[in-house]
């Protein structure tokens, strides 16, 4: 499978290829799957396509519904199967897949960090191919967190919701519901914004606010 054919199938969606890998026995996939290609976004481009879609204002889980449609359409054109991180069962290990497919690492606050995109990226689905996909070789780098001396992501949260090795969801959600949490609600998580990597990929206000609204809706 030519990777450019996959890129063309994603044209106009704001979604991009986020790497790929040959599956192993422990991945819970059928034996005829030869390659897993991760699909996601980096920066704000996806927002333009999604926010103008029919799902945006007409579905209880609009981003999941939109992702299912556009990635599913691409899968049909490419004769691939599509799976999603919000689907299940079976639930697929998207974070582990992502770390095999691309250069991403767990950040001190949990989400995967990318050396270029920082924390401003996500995985919306994966395409399963029964043929191999040729990826360009990549140079191996280290996590940007390894050389980040100050690690401001750990000290910026107003309610210290990121203690060592954990995430205090009730503290975070409680703050977001308060008047003091308006900045995080409208512009995105302050700890996430504190990361010095990938600042040019920050989500816009509408994009960030959408994610914060749906996070809070699921943690009331």
């Amino acid at each position: 499978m030519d990777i450019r054919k996959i890129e063309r199938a994603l044209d106009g969606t704001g979604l991009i290829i986020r790497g790929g890998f040959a599956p192993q026995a422990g991945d819970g996939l059928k034996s005829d799957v030869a390659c897993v290609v991760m699909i996601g976004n980096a920066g704000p481009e996806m927002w333009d396509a999604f926010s103008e879609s029919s799902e945006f204002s007409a579905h209880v889980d609009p981003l999941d519904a939109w992702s299912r449609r556009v990635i599913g359409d691409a899968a049909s054109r490419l004769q691939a199967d599509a799976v999603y991180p919000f689907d299940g069962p079976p639930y697929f290990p998207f974070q582990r897949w992502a770390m095999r497919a691309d250069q991403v690492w767990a950040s001190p606050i949990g989400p995967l960090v990318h050396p270029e995109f920082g924390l401003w990226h996500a995985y919306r689905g994966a395409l399963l191919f029964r043929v191999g996909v040729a990826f360009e070789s990549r140079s191996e780098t280290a996590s940007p967190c390894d050389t980040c001396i100050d690690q401001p992501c750990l000290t910026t949260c107003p309610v210290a919701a990121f203690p060592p090795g954990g995430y205090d969801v009730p503290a975070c959600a409680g703050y977001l519901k308060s008047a003091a949490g308006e900045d995080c609600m409208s512009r995105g998580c302050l700890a996430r914004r504190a990361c010095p990597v990938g600042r040019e990929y920050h989500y816009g206000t509408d994009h960030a606010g959408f994610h914060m609204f749906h996070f809070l809706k699921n943690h009331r």
Side-chain angles (χ1 to χ4, degrees):
M1 171 63 66
D2 188 337
I3 195 169
R4 290 171 295 183
K5 189 174 181 180
I6 305 174
E7 291 172 341
R8 289 193 295 271
L10 297 171
D11 278 350
T13 68
L15 297 173
I16 59 174
I17 297 170
R18 300 295 314 278
F21 62 92
Q24 300 171 350
D27 288 324
L29 296 170
K30 294 179 180 178
S31 59
D32 62 349
V33 177
C35 187
V36 177
V37 177
M38 306 296 287
I39 305 297
N41 66 285
E45 284 76 11
M46 181 197 72
W47 179 256
D48 294 335
F50 165 58
S51 62
E52 295 176 1
S53 71
S54 59
E55 291 88 355
F56 182 69
S57 58
H59 200 281
V60 63
D61 292 310
L63 185 54
D64 290 351
W66 176 84
S67 299
R68 190 187 302 278
R69 176 173 63 82
V70 298
I71 297 175
D73 287 348
S76 296
R77 293 197 296 273
L78 296 165
Q79 296 184 314
D81 293 323
V83 295
Y84 307 93
F86 47 82
D87 244 351
Y91 295 99
F92 296 106
F94 264 74
Q95 281 213 333
R96 179 161 58 82
W97 284 3
M99 289 188 278
R100 287 168 59 190
D102 199 0
Q103 293 196 81
V104 289
W105 304 265
S107 70
I109 60 173
L112 298 178
V113 64
H114 185 276
E116 179 182 358
F117 309 137
L119 299 173
W120 303 98
H121 65 99
Y123 297 88
R124 300 304 312 164
L127 297 174
L128 311 182
F129 289 91
R130 292 171 179 81
V131 296
V133 178
F135 286 92
E136 294 183 4
S137 60
R138 69 189 191 199
S139 58
E140 296 296 325
T141 61
S143 169
C145 301
D146 292 346
T147 55
C148 184
I149 298 173
D150 294 332
Q151 294 194 329
C153 62
L154 289 175
T155 58
T156 307
C157 178
V159 290
F162 301 102
Y167 174 31
D168 190 341
V169 176
C172 176
Y175 180 74
L176 292 175
K177 288 185 283 188
S178 71
E182 175 57 29
D183 180 62
C184 284
M185 278 296 296
S186 62
R187 298 175 59 204
C189 170
L190 191 60
R192 189 179 189 184
R193 282 186 277 143
C195 177
V197 183
R199 283 179 170 163
E200 64 270 33
Y201 292 94
H202 277 199
Y203 296 164
T205 301
D206 289 345
H207 190 176
F210 170 88
H211 285 297
M212 299 305 288
F213 171 81
H214 283 275
F215 165 80
L216 191 57
K217 183 180 76 171
N218 293 325
H219 293 90
R220 292 191 182 281

